[in-house]
Amino acid sequence: MAGVTRTVAVYSLGGTIAMTTDPATGGVVPALSAHDLLAAVPGLDGHGIDLRVHDFRRVPGASLTFDDLSELGTEIDKVLDGGDVDGIVITQGTDTIEETAFFLDLRHGHNQPVVVTGAMRNPTMAGPDGPANLYAAVVAAADPQLRGAGVLVVMNDEIHAARHVRKAHTTSPAAFASPGAGPIGRIAEDRVRLASPLPDRFVPLAPAVRDPRVGLYTVSLGDDGTLLEAWSGQCDGLVVAAFGVGHVPQRLVESLERLAVRVPVVLASRIGNGPVLTGTYGFPGSEKDLISRGLIPAGDLGPYQARLLLQALLAQDVARESIAEKFAVFAR
């Protein structure tokens, strides 16, 4: 890319990558600006990439909200509508990277890639990975091969599609994986090396017109349904993270059926790798039984992604009968 000027806009949201030690508590907190982060990355000036830097938020990843991401998405759309930016990089805390990436991907309608990155080791530790991840993210965002790829996560020199990426370890620098799919490519020798075709793209969802509450209920051994009943009347939609391919204890079936009459209830798997089935098992509480009672299968979307898709659909006031159709498209 030397000698070729490409433009990448960088948005910093905070997170581990931007943390330094707080003298008052002795713990690390978000404090570094986007300019600070880029100043710690050697070698970017030799790639012919013009960086436009935006210090958007300084919060831990766990504290990001739908409002934060909606505002960020609007800002990114405005920048990309101008046509003079080749890609976007977002730095944030890794706690919610997979959710940020999927949230933005549902609404991303431009060809320019949006790359989300962060760090597992903060800058006060030996071998912080933030500079290397930011370097790789900028290289990826500027590469024409990734036009049309949607939103991506770049960590540990791997490029993951928002559709598949999961945080798979609490501390390892190699914390991110795409179960069942693998990364779509890697960064090596300062360029993108694709390992598979770019992910399928869908018609982007429209902006929200309301702010629905969507719950996530995880089924566990010995579950008697008491906590499930607590969701009744408290949510506009619910995702059930069920056992295996979509199974729940028989004693939960009637509660789920009653709830599914009132609000959309999506059936996902708590495993996070592999699909919810639709017609294999037939016992009470099986996937076939629950779908016959009105639950919507999530396909191979994990429960976190399924919750974000349901929230996005309800936020648009999508008709209830259309929600299952939308899941069938997005979750295939």
Side-chain angles (χ1 to χ4, degrees), residues 92-106 114-118 120 133 149-169 172-185 196 199-200 271-274 300-306 308 330:
Q92 70 156 83
T94 59
D95 284 349
T96 51
I97 274 185
E98 66 181 90
E99 290 172 272
T100 291
F102 190 75
F103 179 99
L104 294 174
D105 196 44
L106 289 173
V114 173
V115 179
V116 191
T117 192
M120 296 300 296
N133 288 337
V151 181
L152 307 164
V153 170
V154 171
M155 295 282 292
N156 200 39
D157 285 337
E158 294 182 338
I159 306 167
H160 297 272
R163 173 70 178 69
H164 299 292
V165 70
R166 309 284 190 271
K167 187 173 183 180
H169 198 278
S172 170
F176 286 83
S178 292
I184 67 168
S196 64
D200 292 337
I271 304 235
N273 184 10
D300 64 355
L301 288 179
Y304 306 126
Q305 285 78 14
L308 290 171
F330 278 91

Coordinates of all heavy atoms in Angstrom, one line a residue, residues 92-106 114-118 120 133 149-169 172-185 196 199-200 271-274 300-306 308 330:
Q92 N -12.5 -0.6 21.5 CA -13.4 -0.7 22.6 C -13.0 -1.8 23.6 O -12.1 -2.6 23.2 CB -14.9 -0.9 22.2 CG -15.2 -2.2 21.6 CD -16.7 -2.6 21.7 OE1 -17.5 -2.1 20.9 NE2 -17.0 -3.3 22.8
G93 N -13.7 -2.0 24.7 CA -13.5 -3.1 25.6 C -13.9 -4.4 25.0 O -15.0 -4.4 24.3
T94 N -13.2 -5.4 25.3 CA -13.5 -6.7 24.7 C -14.7 -7.4 25.3 O -15.2 -8.4 24.7 CB -12.3 -7.7 24.8 OG1 -11.9 -7.9 26.1 CG2 -11.1 -7.1 24.0
D95 N -15.1 -6.9 26.4 CA -16.3 -7.6 27.1 C -17.5 -7.7 26.1 O -18.2 -8.6 26.2 CB -16.7 -6.8 28.3 CG -15.8 -7.0 29.5 OD1 -15.0 -8.0 29.4 OD2 -15.9 -6.3 30.5
T96 N -17.7 -6.6 25.3 CA -18.9 -6.6 24.5 C -18.6 -6.4 23.0 O -19.4 -6.0 22.2 CB -19.8 -5.4 24.9 OG1 -19.0 -4.2 25.0 CG2 -20.4 -5.7 26.3
I97 N -17.4 -6.8 22.6 CA -17.0 -6.6 21.2 C -17.9 -7.4 20.3 O -18.4 -6.9 19.2 CB -15.5 -7.0 20.9 CG1 -14.6 -5.8 21.2 CG2 -15.3 -7.5 19.5 CD1 -13.2 -6.0 20.9
E98 N -18.2 -8.7 20.6 CA -19.0 -9.5 19.7 C -20.4 -8.9 19.6 O -21.0 -9.0 18.5 CB -19.1 -10.9 20.2 CG -19.8 -11.2 21.5 CD -19.8 -12.6 21.9 OE1 -18.8 -13.0 22.6 OE2 -20.7 -13.4 21.5
E99 N -20.9 -8.3 20.6 CA -22.3 -7.7 20.6 C -22.3 -6.4 19.8 O -23.1 -6.1 19.0 CB -22.8 -7.5 22.0 CG -23.2 -8.9 22.6 CD -23.5 -8.7 24.1 OE1 -22.6 -8.8 24.9 OE2 -24.7 -8.6 24.4
T100 N -21.2 -5.5 20.0 CA -21.1 -4.3 19.3 C -21.0 -4.6 17.8 O -21.7 -4.0 17.0 CB -19.9 -3.5 19.7 OG1 -20.0 -3.0 21.0 CG2 -19.6 -2.3 18.8
A101 N -20.2 -5.6 17.4 CA -20.0 -5.9 16.0 C -21.3 -6.3 15.4 O -21.7 -5.9 14.3 CB -18.9 -6.9 15.9
F102 N -22.0 -7.2 16.0 CA -23.3 -7.7 15.5 C -24.3 -6.6 15.4 O -25.1 -6.5 14.4 CB -23.8 -8.9 16.3 CG -24.9 -9.6 15.6 CD1 -24.7 -10.5 14.5 CD2 -26.2 -9.5 16.1 CE1 -25.7 -11.2 13.9 CE2 -27.3 -10.2 15.5 CZ -27.0 -11.0 14.4
F103 N -24.4 -5.8 16.5 CA -25.4 -4.7 16.5 C -25.2 -3.8 15.3 O -26.1 -3.4 14.6 CB -25.2 -3.9 17.8 CG -26.1 -2.7 18.0 CD1 -27.3 -2.8 18.7 CD2 -25.8 -1.5 17.4 CE1 -28.1 -1.7 18.9 CE2 -26.6 -0.4 17.6 CZ -27.8 -0.5 18.3
L104 N -23.9 -3.4 15.1 CA -23.6 -2.5 14.0 C -23.8 -3.2 12.6 O -24.2 -2.5 11.7 CB -22.2 -2.0 14.1 CG -21.9 -1.1 15.3 CD1 -20.4 -0.7 15.4 CD2 -22.7 0.2 15.2
D105 N -23.5 -4.5 12.6 CA -23.6 -5.2 11.3 C -25.1 -5.3 10.8 O -25.3 -5.2 9.6 CB -23.0 -6.6 11.4 CG -22.7 -7.2 10.1 OD1 -22.2 -6.6 9.2 OD2 -23.1 -8.4 9.9
L106 N -26.0 -5.4 11.8 CA -27.4 -5.5 11.4 C -27.9 -4.2 10.7 O -28.8 -4.2 9.9 CB -28.3 -5.7 12.6 CG -28.2 -7.0 13.3 CD1 -29.0 -7.0 14.6 CD2 -28.7 -8.1 12.4
V114 N -16.3 -2.0 8.5 CA -16.1 -1.5 9.8 C -15.4 -2.5 10.6 O -15.9 -3.7 10.7 CB -17.5 -1.1 10.4 CG1 -17.4 -0.7 11.9 CG2 -18.2 0.0 9.6
V115 N -14.3 -2.2 11.2 CA -13.5 -3.1 12.0 C -13.4 -2.8 13.4 O -13.1 -1.7 13.8 CB -12.0 -3.2 11.4 CG1 -11.2 -4.1 12.2 CG2 -12.0 -3.5 9.9
V116 N -13.8 -3.7 14.3 CA -13.8 -3.5 15.7 C -12.7 -4.2 16.3 O -12.4 -5.4 16.0 CB -15.1 -4.0 16.4 CG1 -15.2 -3.5 17.8 CG2 -16.4 -3.5 15.6
T117 N -11.9 -3.6 17.2 CA -10.8 -4.2 17.9 C -10.7 -3.7 19.3 O -11.4 -2.8 19.7 CB -9.5 -3.9 17.1 OG1 -8.4 -4.8 17.5 CG2 -9.0 -2.5 17.2
G118 N -9.7 -4.3 20.0 CA -9.5 -3.9 21.4 C -8.2 -4.6 21.9 O -7.3 -4.9 21.1
M120 N -6.6 -7.4 25.1 CA -6.8 -8.3 26.3 C -5.8 -7.9 27.4 O -6.1 -8.2 28.6 CB -6.6 -9.7 25.9 CG -7.6 -10.3 24.9 SD -9.3 -10.2 25.5 CE -9.2 -11.3 26.9
N133 N -3.0 -5.0 17.7 CA -4.4 -5.2 17.2 C -4.9 -3.9 16.5 O -5.6 -4.0 15.5 CB -5.3 -5.5 18.4 CG -5.2 -6.8 19.0 OD1 -4.7 -7.7 18.3 ND2 -5.5 -7.0 20.3
A149 N -17.6 -6.5 3.1 CA -17.6 -7.5 4.2 C -18.4 -7.2 5.4 O -18.6 -8.0 6.3 CB -16.1 -7.7 4.6
G150 N -18.9 -5.9 5.5 CA -19.7 -5.6 6.6 C -18.9 -5.2 7.8 O -17.8 -4.6 7.7
V151 N -19.3 -5.6 9.0 CA -18.6 -5.4 10.2 C -17.8 -6.6 10.6 O -18.2 -7.7 10.5 CB -19.6 -5.0 11.4 CG1 -18.8 -4.7 12.7 CG2 -20.4 -3.8 11.0
L152 N -16.5 -6.3 11.0 CA -15.6 -7.4 11.3 C -14.9 -7.1 12.6 O -14.9 -6.0 13.2 CB -14.5 -7.4 10.2 CG -14.9 -7.5 8.8 CD1 -13.8 -7.1 7.8 CD2 -15.4 -8.9 8.4
V153 N -14.4 -8.2 13.2 CA -13.6 -8.1 14.4 C -12.2 -8.5 14.1 O -12.0 -9.6 13.5 CB -14.2 -8.9 15.6 CG1 -13.2 -9.0 16.8 CG2 -15.5 -8.3 16.0
V154 N -11.2 -7.7 14.4 CA -9.8 -8.1 14.1 C -9.1 -8.1 15.5 O -9.0 -7.1 16.2 CB -9.1 -7.1 13.2 CG1 -7.6 -7.3 13.1 CG2 -9.7 -7.2 11.8
M155 N -8.6 -9.3 15.9 CA -7.9 -9.5 17.1 C -6.8 -10.5 16.8 O -7.1 -11.5 16.1 CB -8.8 -9.9 18.2 CG -9.8 -8.9 18.7 SD -9.2 -7.6 19.7 CE -8.8 -8.5 21.2
N156 N -5.6 -10.3 17.4 CA -4.6 -11.4 17.3 C -4.3 -11.7 15.9 O -4.0 -12.9 15.5 CB -5.0 -12.6 18.1 CG -3.9 -13.5 18.5 OD1 -2.8 -13.1 18.8 ND2 -4.1 -14.8 18.4
D157 N -4.3 -10.7 15.0 CA -4.0 -10.9 13.5 C -5.1 -11.7 12.8 O -4.8 -12.2 11.7 CB -2.6 -11.4 13.3 CG -1.6 -10.4 13.5 OD1 -1.9 -9.2 13.5 OD2 -0.4 -10.8 13.8
E158 N -6.2 -12.0 13.4 CA -7.3 -12.8 12.8 C -8.5 -11.8 12.4 O -8.8 -10.9 13.2 CB -7.7 -13.9 13.6 CG -6.7 -15.0 13.8 CD -7.2 -16.2 14.7 OE1 -8.2 -16.0 15.4 OE2 -6.6 -17.2 14.6
I159 N -9.1 -12.1 11.3 CA -10.3 -11.3 10.9 C -11.5 -12.2 11.0 O -11.6 -13.2 10.3 CB -10.1 -10.9 9.4 CG1 -8.8 -10.1 9.2 CG2 -11.3 -10.0 9.0 CD1 -8.4 -9.9 7.8
H160 N -12.4 -11.8 11.8 CA -13.7 -12.5 12.1 C -14.9 -11.8 11.6 O -15.0 -10.5 11.8 CB -13.8 -12.8 13.6 CG -12.7 -13.7 14.1 ND1 -12.8 -15.0 14.1 CD2 -11.5 -13.3 14.7 CE1 -11.7 -15.5 14.7 NE2 -10.9 -14.5 15.1
A161 N -15.8 -12.5 11.0 CA -17.1 -11.9 10.6 C -18.0 -11.6 11.9 O -18.0 -12.5 12.8 CB -17.9 -12.7 9.7
A162 N -18.7 -10.5 12.0 CA -19.5 -10.2 13.1 C -20.6 -11.3 13.3 O -21.0 -11.6 14.4 CB -20.2 -8.9 12.9
R163 N -21.0 -11.9 12.2 CA -22.0 -13.0 12.3 C -21.6 -14.2 13.1 O -22.4 -14.8 13.7 CB -22.3 -13.4 10.8 CG -23.2 -14.6 10.6 CD -24.6 -14.2 11.0 NE -25.5 -15.3 10.8 CZ -25.5 -16.4 11.5 NH1 -24.6 -16.6 12.5 NH2 -26.3 -17.4 11.2
H164 N -20.3 -14.5 13.2 CA -19.8 -15.7 13.8 C -18.9 -15.5 15.1 O -18.7 -16.4 15.8 CB -19.0 -16.5 12.8 CG -19.8 -16.9 11.6 ND1 -20.8 -17.8 11.7 CD2 -19.7 -16.6 10.3 CE1 -21.3 -18.0 10.5 NE2 -20.7 -17.3 9.6
V165 N -18.4 -14.3 15.3 CA -17.3 -14.2 16.3 C -17.9 -14.3 17.7 O -19.0 -13.9 18.0 CB -16.6 -12.8 16.1 CG1 -17.5 -11.6 16.4 CG2 -15.3 -12.8 16.9
R166 N -17.1 -14.9 18.5 CA -17.4 -15.1 20.0 C -16.1 -14.8 20.8 O -15.0 -15.1 20.4 CB -17.9 -16.5 20.3 CG -19.0 -17.0 19.4 CD -20.3 -16.4 19.8 NE -21.4 -17.2 19.1 CZ -21.9 -16.8 17.9 NH1 -21.4 -15.8 17.2 NH2 -22.9 -17.5 17.4
K167 N -16.3 -14.2 22.0 CA -15.2 -14.2 22.9 C -15.2 -15.5 23.6 O -16.1 -15.9 24.3 CB -15.4 -13.0 23.9 CG -14.2 -12.8 24.8 CD -14.3 -11.6 25.7 CE -13.0 -11.4 26.5 NZ -13.1 -10.2 27.4
A168 N -14.0 -16.2 23.5 CA -14.0 -17.6 23.9 C -13.0 -17.8 25.1 O -12.8 -19.0 25.5 CB -13.5 -18.5 22.8
H169 N -12.4 -16.8 25.6 CA -11.5 -16.9 26.8 C -11.5 -15.6 27.5 O -11.6 -14.5 26.9 CB -10.1 -17.3 26.3 CG -9.2 -17.8 27.4 ND1 -8.6 -17.0 28.3 CD2 -8.9 -19.1 27.7 CE1 -7.9 -17.8 29.2 NE2 -8.1 -19.1 28.8
S172 N -6.9 -14.7 27.5 CA -5.9 -15.0 26.5 C -5.9 -13.9 25.4 O -7.0 -13.5 25.0 CB -6.2 -16.3 25.9 OG -5.4 -16.5 24.7
P173 N -4.7 -13.5 24.9 CA -4.7 -12.6 23.7 C -5.3 -13.2 22.5 O -5.7 -12.5 21.6 CB -3.2 -12.4 23.5 CG -2.5 -12.7 24.8 CD -3.4 -13.8 25.4
A174 N -5.5 -14.6 22.5 CA -6.2 -15.3 21.4 C -7.6 -15.6 21.9 O -8.1 -16.7 21.7 CB -5.4 -16.5 21.0
A175 N -8.3 -14.6 22.4 CA -9.6 -14.8 23.1 C -10.7 -15.0 22.1 O -11.8 -15.5 22.5 CB -9.9 -13.7 24.1
F176 N -10.6 -14.5 20.9 CA -11.7 -14.5 19.9 C -11.6 -15.6 18.9 O -10.6 -15.9 18.4 CB -11.8 -13.1 19.3 CG -12.3 -12.1 20.2 CD1 -11.5 -11.5 21.1 CD2 -13.7 -11.8 20.3 CE1 -11.9 -10.5 22.1 CE2 -14.2 -10.8 21.2 CZ -13.3 -10.2 22.1
A177 N -12.8 -16.2 18.7 CA -12.9 -17.3 17.7 C -14.2 -17.2 17.0 O -15.1 -16.5 17.4 CB -12.8 -18.6 18.5
S178 N -14.3 -17.9 15.9 CA -15.6 -18.0 15.2 C -16.0 -19.5 15.1 O -15.6 -20.2 14.1 CB -15.4 -17.5 13.8 OG -15.3 -16.1 13.8
P179 N -16.6 -20.0 16.1 CA -16.9 -21.5 16.1 C -17.7 -21.9 14.9 O -18.7 -21.3 14.5 CB -17.8 -21.6 17.4 CG -17.4 -20.4 18.3 CD -17.1 -19.3 17.3
G180 N -17.3 -23.0 14.4 CA -18.1 -23.6 13.2 C -17.7 -22.9 11.9 O -18.2 -23.4 10.9
A181 N -17.0 -21.8 11.9 CA -16.8 -21.1 10.7 C -15.3 -20.7 10.5 O -14.7 -20.8 9.4 CB -17.6 -19.8 10.6
G182 N -14.6 -20.3 11.6 CA -13.3 -19.9 11.5 C -13.1 -18.5 11.1 O -14.1 -17.9 10.5
P183 N -12.0 -17.9 11.2 CA -11.8 -16.5 10.7 C -11.8 -16.5 9.2 O -11.5 -17.5 8.5 CB -10.3 -16.2 11.2 CG -9.7 -17.5 11.5 CD -10.7 -18.5 11.9
I184 N -12.3 -15.4 8.7 CA -12.3 -15.3 7.2 C -11.0 -14.9 6.6 O -10.8 -15.0 5.4 CB -13.4 -14.2 6.7 CG1 -13.0 -12.8 7.1 CG2 -14.8 -14.6 7.3 CD1 -13.8 -11.8 6.5
G185 N -10.0 -14.5 7.5 CA -8.7 -14.2 7.0 C -7.8 -13.8 8.1 O -8.2 -13.8 9.3
S196 N -11.4 -17.4 3.3 CA -12.7 -17.8 2.8 C -13.4 -16.7 2.2 O -13.0 -15.5 2.3 CB -13.5 -18.4 4.0 OG -13.8 -17.3 4.9
P199 N -18.4 -12.7 4.1 CA -19.7 -13.2 4.6 C -20.9 -12.6 3.8 O -20.8 -11.6 3.2 CB -19.7 -12.6 6.1 CG -18.7 -11.5 6.1 CD -17.7 -11.9 5.1
D200 N -22.0 -13.4 3.8 CA -23.2 -12.9 3.1 C -23.7 -11.7 3.8 O -23.6 -11.5 5.0 CB -24.3 -14.0 3.2 CG -24.0 -15.2 2.4 OD1 -23.2 -15.1 1.4 OD2 -24.5 -16.3 2.7
I271 N -25.1 -23.2 24.0 CA -23.8 -23.7 23.7 C -23.0 -22.7 22.9 O -21.8 -22.6 23.1 CB -24.0 -25.0 22.9 CG1 -24.8 -26.0 23.6 CG2 -22.6 -25.5 22.4 CD1 -24.4 -27.3 24.0
G272 N -23.7 -21.9 22.0 CA -23.0 -20.9 21.2 C -22.2 -21.5 20.0 O -21.4 -20.7 19.4
N273 N -22.4 -22.7 19.7 CA -21.7 -23.3 18.5 C -22.6 -24.4 18.0 O -22.8 -25.4 18.6 CB -20.4 -23.9 18.9 CG -19.6 -24.4 17.7 OD1 -19.9 -24.2 16.6 ND2 -18.5 -25.1 18.0
G274 N -23.2 -24.2 16.8 CA -24.1 -25.1 16.2 C -25.5 -24.6 16.2 O -25.9 -23.7 17.0
D300 N -28.5 -20.8 13.8 CA -27.2 -21.0 14.5 C -26.7 -19.7 15.1 O -25.5 -19.5 15.5 CB -26.1 -21.5 13.5 CG -25.8 -20.6 12.3 OD1 -26.5 -19.5 12.2 OD2 -24.9 -20.9 11.5
L301 N -27.6 -18.7 15.3 CA -27.3 -17.5 16.0 C -27.1 -17.9 17.5 O -28.0 -18.6 18.1 CB -28.4 -16.5 15.9 CG -28.5 -15.7 14.6 CD1 -29.6 -14.7 14.7 CD2 -27.2 -15.0 14.2
G302 N -26.1 -17.4 18.2 CA -25.9 -17.6 19.6 C -27.0 -16.7 20.3 O -27.6 -15.9 19.7
P303 N -27.2 -17.0 21.6 CA -28.2 -16.3 22.4 C -28.0 -14.8 22.4 O -29.0 -14.0 22.4 CB -28.2 -16.9 23.8 CG -26.9 -17.6 23.8 CD -26.5 -18.0 22.5
Y304 N -26.7 -14.3 22.5 CA -26.5 -12.9 22.5 C -26.8 -12.2 21.2 O -27.4 -11.1 21.1 CB -25.0 -12.6 22.8 CG -24.6 -13.2 24.1 CD1 -23.4 -14.0 24.1 CD2 -25.3 -13.1 25.3 CE1 -23.0 -14.7 25.3 CE2 -24.9 -13.7 26.5 CZ -23.7 -14.5 26.5 OH -23.3 -15.1 27.6
Q305 N -26.5 -12.9 20.1 CA -26.8 -12.3 18.7 C -28.3 -12.4 18.5 O -28.9 -11.5 18.0 CB -26.1 -13.1 17.6 CG -24.6 -12.8 17.5 CD -23.8 -13.5 18.6 OE1 -24.2 -14.4 19.3 NE2 -22.5 -13.0 18.7
A306 N -29.0 -13.5 19.0 CA -30.4 -13.6 18.8 C -31.1 -12.5 19.6 O -32.1 -11.9 19.1 CB -30.9 -15.0 19.3
L308 N -30.0 -9.5 20.2 CA -29.8 -8.2 19.5 C -30.6 -8.2 18.2 O -31.2 -7.1 17.9 CB -28.3 -8.1 19.1 CG -27.3 -7.8 20.3 CD1 -25.9 -7.9 19.8 CD2 -27.6 -6.5 20.9
F330 N -31.8 -14.2 8.6 CA -30.6 -13.8 9.3 C -29.8 -15.0 10.0 O -28.6 -14.9 10.1 CB -30.9 -12.7 10.4 CG -31.0 -11.3 9.8 CD1 -32.2 -10.8 9.4 CD2 -29.9 -10.5 9.7 CE1 -32.3 -9.6 8.9 CE2 -30.0 -9.2 9.2 CZ -31.2 -8.8 8.8

